[in-house]
Amino acid sequence: MIQKIVYSVALCATLFATPPSWYVENSLPSKSYEVVGYGEGKTKAQAKKRAKADISKTVQSTIQTLTKMNESEIDGEYKQSTKIETKESSNIVLEGVEFLKSTYRDGKYFIALKYINLPFAQKVRLKFSSVESIAKEKNSYLLQTPLLKELESEFGFFPQVKIVKNKLIIENRSFTIDKENLKKLFVSIENRFLKIQQPDAISAGNYYFIDIKTQKSGYVTVVQLYENGELSLLYSNKKMDKNRRYSYPNSDEYDGIEAYLNEGIVKTKDLTIAVLCEDKKDFSYFDTISEEKESFAKVYGTFFGMIDRCSVSSKSIVIKR
């Protein structure tokens, strides 16, 4: 009987692990823009998941304001009323969560994680104590994007960047480009030697054509970049003379490009990028990607790097239900 009691006490000690003082008091030091999350679990993965959930509760600040405008006519008098509804969304994705501290005690992991709760450009700038050695960006397309302009406001100049899949790299430091920052690489620009004509908006299920007109001779390549980071090569190295027009796809064979929306998506934006180069460029890498995979790899950064010395125009099209 005594042995059973001793065993029960030992078992309780294992089940009810005593947390470290830093965990109980939530006392780890942090800066004003840092959010610290605390989590515990039988495994490290479980503890980290709970710590991230703790951060999410604090970081969550997405308030969707829905404005409803009502118009009516009463006794010949026109009246207008506005109803504003707000709702809070809890579905957020945390990128760049950093490990802070961990303690293993009595069969349990106690973990603290840190998240820098700042806009992307400010978060990037924080990682550099000095910027004197950073080269300046010269890519004509990237320099016109909202993302590079935000970085310029933080660095005081346009830092040279390299984009590899969904990573933005400055010197030897990399930063994840999430969906919202990917959209900041979308920009509509018009080069005087190259014109794009397509609808500004279209309903899903309808078809459209992309018309290209050149003001000088060269080789034209056209791609489309989507909000999920996929890039589709429509055609490459098409020889065009000055003052020529080309429509894609061929209207004698096709109804056009279908405006497509994935299930559950209400609206999206596709970006058409056309480049006019003096010489042919090897875009076969993108052909291979398209043929071998059902979904296209996130290789838009590679494309940006290949077109810098070409004439570039781009135009977005909004697809909605």
Side-chain angles (χ1 to χ4, degrees):
M1 187 68 178
I2 295 176
Q3 289 179 341
K4 289 183 180 179
I5 293 174
V6 172
Y7 173 77
S8 298
V9 172
L11 179 61
C12 289
T14 302
L15 290 174
F16 301 100
T18 304
S21 59
W22 60 263
Y23 184 89
V24 175
E25 299 168 4
N26 291 355
S27 59
L28 293 179
S30 61
K31 297 177 181 177
S32 59
Y33 52 79
E34 294 176 340
V35 179
V36 178
Y38 299 84
E40 61 184 83
K42 292 181 180 179
T43 65
K44 275 188 177 182
Q46 187 181 56
K48 286 181 179 179
K49 183 177 180 180
R50 289 174 176 172
K52 285 184 178 180
D54 189 35
I55 292 174
S56 297
K57 291 178 184 178
T58 305
V59 171
Q60 179 55 58
S61 59
T62 303
I63 303 295
Q64 297 177 343
T65 302
L66 306 178
T67 304
K68 295 184 178 179
M69 186 74 71
N70 296 317
E71 299 178 352
S72 61
E73 186 176 337
I74 302 175
D75 297 330
E77 183 179 355
Y78 176 79
K79 292 188 176 181
Q80 188 180 74
S81 63
T82 302
K83 181 180 180 182
I84 297 177
E85 300 177 354
T86 60
K87 65 178 182 178
E88 189 167 326
S89 173
S90 59
N91 296 322
I92 62 173
V93 178
L94 297 176
E95 297 287 356
V97 174
E98 301 175 17
F99 172 81
L100 194 58
K101 191 166 185 175
S102 176
T103 297
Y104 180 73
R105 181 177 292 180
D106 299 329
K108 259 192 177 183
Y109 290 92
F110 298 91
I111 286 180
L113 301 177
K114 178 178 69 175
Y115 176 74
I116 299 176
N117 191 26
L118 287 174
F120 182 76
Q122 292 183 36
K123 197 180 297 187
V124 171
R125 178 62 182 86
L126 274 176
K127 295 296 182 180
F128 298 90
S129 57
S130 174
V131 298
E132 294 179 359
S133 63
I134 299 176
K136 295 181 180 179
E137 184 58 64
K138 297 180 180 179
N139 186 291
S140 59
Y141 177 85
L142 292 176
L143 288 174
Q144 299 181 73
T145 63
L147 183 59
L148 264 290
K149 289 179 179 179
E150 289 182 7
L151 289 172
E152 188 268 343
S153 68
E154 296 298 327
F155 282 79
F157 61 94
F158 290 98
Q160 187 177 68
V161 302
K162 183 178 181 181
I163 300 174
V164 180
K165 292 189 177 179
N166 64 334
K167 298 288 186 181
L168 181 139
I169 302 171
I170 300 178
E171 289 193 329
N172 60 343
R173 295 175 176 85
S174 67
F175 308 88
T176 299
I177 302 175
D178 60 17
K179 185 177 180 180
E180 291 306 310
N181 285 298
L182 173 59
K183 291 179 183 178
K184 294 177 183 178
L185 288 171
F186 281 47
V187 62
S188 293
I189 58 177
E190 186 173 281
N191 186 281
R192 64 191 180 96
F193 295 116
L194 188 63
K195 308 289 185 183
I196 300 175
Q197 288 187 339
Q198 65 180 25
D200 294 323
I202 192 171
S203 297
N206 290 335
Y207 294 83
Y208 67 97
F209 291 89
I210 300 172
D211 292 321
I212 301 295
K213 184 179 180 181
T214 56
Q215 298 295 331
K216 71 175 183 178
S217 61
Y219 296 89
V220 176
T221 298
V222 177
V223 303
Q224 283 194 320
L225 176 60
Y226 312 117
E227 286 189 346
N228 63 358
E230 296 172 354
L231 184 141
S232 175
L233 177 65
L234 302 186
Y235 60 90
S236 63
N237 294 316
K238 180 174 181 58
K239 183 68 172 74
M240 291 183 67
D241 297 325
K242 183 179 179 180
N243 295 325
R244 293 295 300 273
R245 186 184 297 273
Y246 178 72
S247 184
Y248 178 86
N250 188 333
S251 59
D252 294 332
E253 301 179 21
Y254 301 95
D255 295 327
I257 300 172
E258 182 181 1
Y260 181 77
L261 277 179
N262 289 325
E263 186 176 349
I265 302 297
V266 177
K267 183 173 72 172
T268 191
K269 183 185 290 186
D270 296 346
L271 183 71
T272 302
I273 305 175
V275 297
L276 175 65
C277 305
E278 292 183 1
D279 302 305
K280 286 185 177 182
K281 288 185 175 290
D282 184 8
F283 292 107
S284 59
Y285 171 71
F286 302 99
D287 282 324
T288 302
I289 291 294
S290 301
E291 291 171 1
E292 291 184 352
K293 295 186 178 181
E294 292 182 5
S295 61
F296 308 109
K298 295 177 174 59
V299 292
Y300 55 89
T302 302
F303 184 78
F304 291 153
M306 294 178 65
I307 64 175
D308 187 35
R309 296 187 179 182
C310 301
S311 300
V312 182
S313 289
S314 58
K315 188 174 182 180
S316 61
I317 179 171
V318 175
I319 301 173
K320 52 189 176 181
R321 295 202 184 277

